[in-house]
Amino acid sequence: MKPPAAPDVCAETLAMRAAFEAAYERELSQSSHGPTPQAALHAAAIACRETLARRWAATQAADAQRGDEAPVRRVHYLSMEFLMGRALSNALAALKLTEPLAARLAEQGLALGDVLEHEPDAALGNGGLGRLAACFLDSFAELGLPSFGYGLRYRYGTFAQVIQQGRQLEQPDDWTRDSPAWELPRHDLRYPVGFGGRVEVDAGGVRRWLPAERIEAQAFDFVVPAHHSERVSTLRQWQATAAPIAFTPFCEGDYPRAARHQVLADAINWVLYPDDSSEAGRELRLKQEAFLVSASLQDLLARHLREFGSLHQLGTANAIHLNDTHPALAPAELMRLLLDEHGLGWDEAWTITRQAVAYTNHTLMPEALETWPVRMFERLLPRHLEIIYEINHRFLGELRGRFPGDDGLVARLSLIDEGSQGGERRVRMASLALVASHRVNGVAALHSALMVQTIFADYARIWPERFHNVTNGVTPRRWLQQANPALSALLDSRIGDGWRQNLAALAELRPLAANRELGEQFLAVKRANKERLAAVIQRELGLAVRVDSLFDIQIKRIHEYKRQLLNLLHVIARYQAIGDNPDAAWVPRTVILAGKAASAYQMAKSIVQLAHDVARVINSDPRVGDKLKLVFLPNYGVTLAERIIPAADLSEQISTAGTEASGTGNMKFGLNGAITIGTWDGANIEMAEACGVENMFVFGLRADAVAKIKQLGHDPRRYVEENRQLKRVIEAVSSGAFSDGDAARYRPLVDSLLQHDTYLLMADFADYVATQAQVDRLFADRAAWAERALRNIAGMGPFSSDRTIAEYVDRVWSAKSLN
Ligand SMILES: *Cc1c(COP(=O)(O)O)cnc(C)c1O
């Protein structure tokens, strides 16, 4: 799987460096403005790209030789999101070009850091699911796994968050406008993708789909280098290419009509998640999913035929992985291609499909399981609908055979929701993914256990062997080596640099955790990182924060289940307590939030606004001074996360138990020496087990208690009545204490807490506040704090995405998982 070792590594490296430098000078000489940071960024990216393109070709050549006896199938990771962030510093580190470029830039009067800051984030994802896919690409390269990531080349990705008068506004993020040319356009890779039309049956009974509309998908490759070999992995993203203008309307001067096709094709690549509150938005989303799936599978089939000459080994030589249900159309499209385009019979095509496909579930919320109206399928994907009906027909027949008379089971498991409650008939995408997959996995131990007990209980009963757990991970190259150079250097000096490749080596830190000198060094690194973040806060918000205060950080998508609101309730309680007794010995805190609220999610937007309202009041109250500050950093994304996480003392992972599938933010913080305050949820549990639960601050109801409360009927008002502190907090919010007396502003928020409290903030409040007091006490003892933080780092070995990918290989993608 590895390309042949270089005969003389040193000569090879020197040749690569010389090629890089030559390309850099050539590109820079083309700049019309001389060596500006932007021009240097662009030149460095192009120069890296040339080396990456050579490594890409060598990797592909090696993989093409692997044969179908290889223990690992080539993995095709289909995901609607890849949250890549910036690429240059990662490429420079992987190619060992950081120093040479920094030296060359210095000669030109430029600082590497300034140049890197000009790269826009590739924000082609929303949150954890997209960032997971990006970490996986890094591990694919590092582990030498034959693979392709497949996605869409969004022009705007997710929105840019702007805050105006405390409220979130969404703006298009035109990230490609100034982006350095990372991508390799593949003009020779184009596939037609059809929509609409009808299905014709010929005299022999063969069915043929005649689409009404055809859009071409063109490939753009984003190459991701390994850090410890010359392997690369590929993110192949599809761009819908415009059909030519319609000539007649053009000649008649009707330009909008002449360009209509272009606009419709283009729209596929405009944004991630078109607003689904309109029918047009929902239809566009389904088209995006179908477009991704069809182009990717056509590409896979073409490559397989080139390498193997026939389709028979397709399922044993290839894995097709569905990152959540967004690409769950894949089995139907693969069946269509095998049956209609390649003439295979149903049984053989179905065997291949079942061998190839596997699916990762990312959420337990039943309302988040994707379904599409049958009527939309009829209009856009008529042949796929026929195939889904046939899969369903065979599947339900089998079920009736195994469970005669159990009509309830058949209705629950059917791929079609018949719309019993007066709704329309819908296709259940998760069910399609489950039926077509040989493996289904959750992303942390608790999540996988709950998955088979709740949303997929019926399927787990009939196919227990299909369900597995693979706990998420993060790449230590980006989230420690690059994000935190100072801590990386400290670790290198104590335990060597092997952790970059083998994160389990962090365990060697455990015997050193109580070492005073190391503790001091750790705290000095943390302080430097906090200074760096304080400068960002000063620049962005004009707010000075105390670097020796406790940096208490919660950054993630804004969502009710993640409970940023619980965090704010604690901040308000602390504010009120300080106001009552300003001269007590308060441990100074800086509470930092960042995150985007989905544009149509009113409750989440209201939480963003409350954070700003509360911050305005607290930060300007002279009684409080620097005992407490609340900071909301706008436009959360990968680059901001890389700045914030190394500066954290306390990591807030406070979702209602049973709701956060895994979390990966929790892992990044742990790796950077933050101590977690968290619920017994998602991967927090496995982190507690690996790091020692006594080294974390665990609070709140556990998942079984949450389920029980919900079952018995939760009465949130009782908690408010019984807890004076909580009552006072709620009264302040509802009376308008933070909204200039406007009592209406947070009425929906407060009503939802008092009436439903779906995520049990009221029930967990008292324990949360008490646990925060323990945090204060530990923080006051600097040596004890450092020791605990070091013990957390020492336990983070299992949370590398390299370990995650090794487990996928073992349990899901290996040839042996097919038996
Ligand atoms: C890691 C990461 C996430 C996921 O964070 P959680 O706390 O696990 O929800 C989301 N967004 C970005 C930019 C990330 O880097």
Side-chain angles (χ1 to χ4, degrees):
M1 285 190 301
K2 304 234 152 82
D8 179 347
V9 174
C10 217
E12 185 97 340
T13 307
L14 289 177
M16 191 265 278
R17 203 165 281 179
F20 172 82
E21 280 163 11
Y24 174 78
E25 300 304 335
R26 184 195 70 221
E27 283 302 315
L28 200 62
S29 71
Q30 308 289 316
S31 159
S32 351
H33 304 288
T36 61
Q38 289 91 335
L41 170 70
H42 188 79
I46 299 249
C48 284
R49 192 183 70 176
E50 290 183 9
T51 299
L52 294 176
R54 280 194 297 278
R55 292 192 176 187
W56 185 86
T59 300
Q60 297 311 313
D63 288 354
Q65 302 298 317
R66 78 196 191 288
D68 72 337
E69 295 302 309
V72 181
R73 301 180 283 156
R74 185 187 260 124
V75 175
H76 304 77
Y77 196 85
L78 273 56
S79 179
M80 286 288 276
E81 303 185 23
F82 287 89
L83 194 47
M84 302 296 282
R86 288 177 178 159
L88 181 58
S89 59
N90 183 56
L92 292 173
L95 301 176
K96 316 277 181 287
L97 289 169
T98 310
E99 310 292 306
L101 179 64
R104 180 70 190 102
L105 289 172
E107 289 167 20
Q108 295 170 316
L110 296 170
L112 178 61
D114 291 344
V115 171
L116 297 178
E117 281 299 309
H118 280 84
E119 183 176 357
D121 263 36
L124 308 183
N126 271 312
L129 175 149
R131 184 52 229 175
L132 183 75
C135 283
F136 282 5
L137 289 171
D138 185 82
S139 290
F140 288 167
E142 193 72 1
L143 299 186
L145 187 70
S147 64
F148 277 86
Y150 281 111
L152 289 184
R153 186 172 180 263
Y154 303 102
R155 169 123 162 245
Y156 303 110
T158 191
F159 64 85
Q161 179 191 53
V162 178
I163 304 293
Q164 232 171 52
Q165 271 131 30
R167 299 158 76 118
Q168 169 181 299
L169 295 182
E170 301 90 29
Q171 291 184 348
D173 171 22
D174 199 356
W175 74 282
T176 51
R177 213 177 78 103
D178 309 310
S179 97
W182 279 111
E183 299 165 301
L184 298 164
R186 304 291 187 195
H187 296 290
D188 53 336
L189 285 178
R190 292 166 178 273
Y191 303 98
V193 178
F195 293 104
R198 62 200 159 80
V199 179
E200 253 188 14
V201 191
D202 73 10
V206 175
R207 309 188 78 84
R208 265 180 61 82
W209 178 26
L210 301 172
E213 177 190 4
R214 272 182 206 281
I215 296 178
E216 267 202 352
Q218 190 200 325
F220 285 77
D221 286 351
F222 200 101
V223 178
V224 179
H227 284 246
H228 299 93
S229 80
E230 295 189 5
R231 296 272 314 186
V232 300
S233 69
T234 312
L235 170 56
R236 180 156 286 176
Q237 295 185 304
W238 300 106
Q239 164 82 53
T241 60
I245 55 166
F247 217 72
T248 312
F250 172 77
C251 294
E252 289 162 359
D254 187 348
Y255 306 134
R257 194 155 69 86
R260 196 172 158 272
H261 281 92
Q262 285 188 328
V263 173
L264 288 179
D266 221 29
I268 288 189
N269 289 100
W270 279 344
V271 292
L272 166 75
Y273 290 120
D275 191 328
D276 64 1
S277 50
S278 75
E279 173 86 0
R282 287 191 293 272
E283 182 170 307
L284 180 57
R285 172 77 180 172
L286 181 57
K287 280 177 102 168
Q288 289 181 321
E289 295 180 358
F291 186 73
L292 163 67
V293 159
S294 180
S296 308
L297 294 180
Q298 290 183 66
D299 192 44
L300 180 165
L301 283 171
R303 186 180 315 105
H304 182 81
L305 281 173
R306 209 162 53 235
E307 289 178 8
F308 289 82
S310 92
L311 289 174
H312 301 296
Q313 311 95 314
L314 189 82
T316 51
N318 298 281
I320 297 169
H321 203 91
L322 313 179
N323 192 25
D324 216 332
T325 57
H326 317 137
L329 198 60
E333 171 67 358
L334 183 58
M335 288 298 287
R336 185 189 73 79
L337 292 167
L338 294 175
L339 298 168
D340 298 1
E341 311 272 324
H342 295 275
L344 264 56
W346 183 278
D347 290 339
E348 188 180 8
W350 185 242
T351 301
I352 289 175
T353 300
R354 288 275 334 279
Q355 285 175 326
V357 176
Y359 154 58
T360 297
N361 168 271
H362 287 272
T363 171
L364 295 171
M365 293 179 198
E367 67 275 16
L369 291 181
E370 218 178 350
T371 63
W372 291 105
V374 162
R375 147 187 78 68
M376 203 180 275
F377 259 82
E378 282 166 349
R379 195 164 65 234
L380 285 181
L381 303 164
R383 179 60 181 140
H384 297 79
L385 184 62
E386 283 188 356
I387 290 171
I388 290 169
Y389 280 153
E390 182 63 26
I391 294 172
N392 199 33
H393 175 71
R394 289 169 185 246
F395 166 54
L396 297 184
E398 209 181 289
L399 268 188
R400 289 193 184 95
R402 271 180 76 181
F403 304 94
D406 196 344
D407 292 342
L409 182 74
V410 170
R412 287 198 303 278
L413 296 198
S414 172
L415 303 190
I416 308 297
D417 173 352
E418 297 294 338
S420 45
Q421 273 107 44
E424 55 185 340
R425 299 177 71 228
R426 303 178 75 92
V427 182
R428 295 166 166 156
M429 302 309 281
S431 306
L432 177 58
L434 286 162
V435 170
S437 295
H438 69 289
R439 287 286 187 265
V440 179
N441 73 284
V443 290
L446 175 69
H447 167 240
S448 296
L450 292 175
M451 180 177 81
V452 301
Q453 287 163 24
T454 61
I455 45 170
F456 297 154
D458 289 320
Y459 295 98
R461 185 152 68 94
I462 58 173
W463 299 313
E465 72 290 350
R466 234 171 250 197
F467 292 83
H468 291 257
N469 175 58
V470 185
T471 299
N472 284 167
V474 300
T475 167
R477 272 78 62 186
R478 181 172 295 257
W479 293 109
L480 184 48
Q481 177 186 320
Q482 287 155 51
N484 201 341
L487 182 57
S488 299
L490 179 59
L491 292 174
D492 290 350
S493 75
R494 293 286 177 157
I495 60 169
D497 62 4
W499 56 267
R500 291 171 168 76
Q501 223 177 336
N502 171 27
L503 200 62
L506 290 179
E508 292 166 31
L509 215 53
R510 205 166 276 133
L512 310 176
N515 179 306
R516 281 294 170 108
E517 187 200 355
L518 178 59
E520 291 295 328
Q521 289 172 327
F522 168 77
L523 293 173
V525 163
K526 187 60 84 181
R527 189 184 168 91
N529 290 333
K530 288 166 76 171
E531 274 164 4
R532 215 169 52 145
L533 180 59
V536 173
I537 295 170
Q538 178 74 52
R539 193 180 68 221
E540 289 285 321
L541 306 172
L543 182 70
V545 299
R546 252 176 90 162
V547 175
D548 62 354
S549 65
L550 188 163
F551 277 24
D552 166 351
I553 305 191
Q554 187 177 24
I555 53 172
K556 47 186 76 232
R557 281 178 303 124
I558 308 292
H559 202 290
E560 287 164 280
Y561 86 80
K562 291 177 181 282
R563 302 203 294 190
Q564 283 93 353
L565 186 52
L566 179 61
N567 188 341
L568 291 174
L569 298 181
H570 163 248
V571 170
I572 295 169
R574 180 172 289 253
Y575 168 63
Q576 292 172 336
I578 293 173
D580 291 347
N581 197 357
D583 299 323
W586 294 100
V587 173
R589 262 198 207 224
T590 303
V591 178
I592 299 171
L593 294 172
K596 293 176 183 175
S599 62
Y601 189 176
Q602 287 313 322
M603 204 62 97
K605 289 179 132 176
S606 181
I607 292 169
V608 172
Q609 190 175 13
L610 179 62
H612 284 87
D613 278 344
V614 172
R616 188 169 33 80
V617 170
I618 293 181
N619 296 347
S620 62
D621 189 329
R623 289 173 310 168
V624 176
D626 49 17
K627 297 181 192 78
L628 180 62
K629 288 275 181 271
L630 178 60
V631 173
F632 189 103
L633 281 169
N635 206 27
Y636 179 52
V638 172
T639 296
L640 192 55
E642 288 174 53
R643 258 298 133 73
I644 294 175
I645 292 169
D649 294 308
L650 187 67
S651 158
E652 297 269 356
Q653 308 298 336
I654 59 175
S655 52
T656 316
T659 62
E660 184 72 88
S662 163
T664 48
N666 46 5
M667 301 171 188
K668 300 167 196 165
F669 279 101
L671 205 52
N672 283 277
I675 300 181
T676 302
I677 182 168
T679 44
W680 204 244
D681 198 19
N684 294 353
I685 300 171
E686 285 149 88
M687 281 173 56
E689 287 162 358
C691 302
V693 67
E694 68 285 3
N695 297 313
M696 275 172 48
F697 294 99
V698 178
F699 74 96
L701 294 165
R702 306 223 166 174
D704 49 354
V706 167
K708 193 169 239 165
I709 289 197
K710 296 223 159 161
Q711 203 182 7
L712 297 176
H714 172 45
D715 177 13
R717 284 180 200 273
R718 187 171 61 88
Y719 294 93
V720 181
E721 289 311 319
E722 289 174 1
N723 184 329
R724 285 186 33 234
Q725 196 181 21
L726 175 57
K727 190 165 182 193
R728 192 171 163 204
V729 169
I730 297 287
E731 274 169 2
V733 176
S734 58
S735 68
F738 301 103
S739 43
D740 302 322
D742 176 4
R745 188 175 301 168
Y746 296 113
R747 188 156 299 138
L749 208 66
V750 171
D751 284 352
S752 110
L753 283 182
L754 294 181
Q755 288 165 20
H756 312 290
D757 190 25
T758 314
Y759 297 102
L760 303 183
L761 283 70
M762 302 296 95
D764 276 345
F765 176 83
D767 197 11
Y768 181 53
V769 170
T771 307
Q772 289 285 16
Q774 292 177 26
V775 172
D776 288 330
R777 286 194 287 279
L778 185 69
F779 192 72
D781 180 347
R782 307 300 293 139
W785 184 276
E787 177 178 343
R788 281 233 211 158
L790 288 166
R791 290 193 186 283
N792 275 283
I793 300 174
M796 291 307 294
F799 301 98
S800 164
S801 49
D802 297 345
R803 187 273 311 149
T804 307
I805 293 305
E807 287 187 9
Y808 274 104
V809 167
D810 186 52
R811 295 176 201 167
V812 183
W813 300 330
S814 69
K816 85 170 195 261
S817 72
L818 296 177
N819 301 322

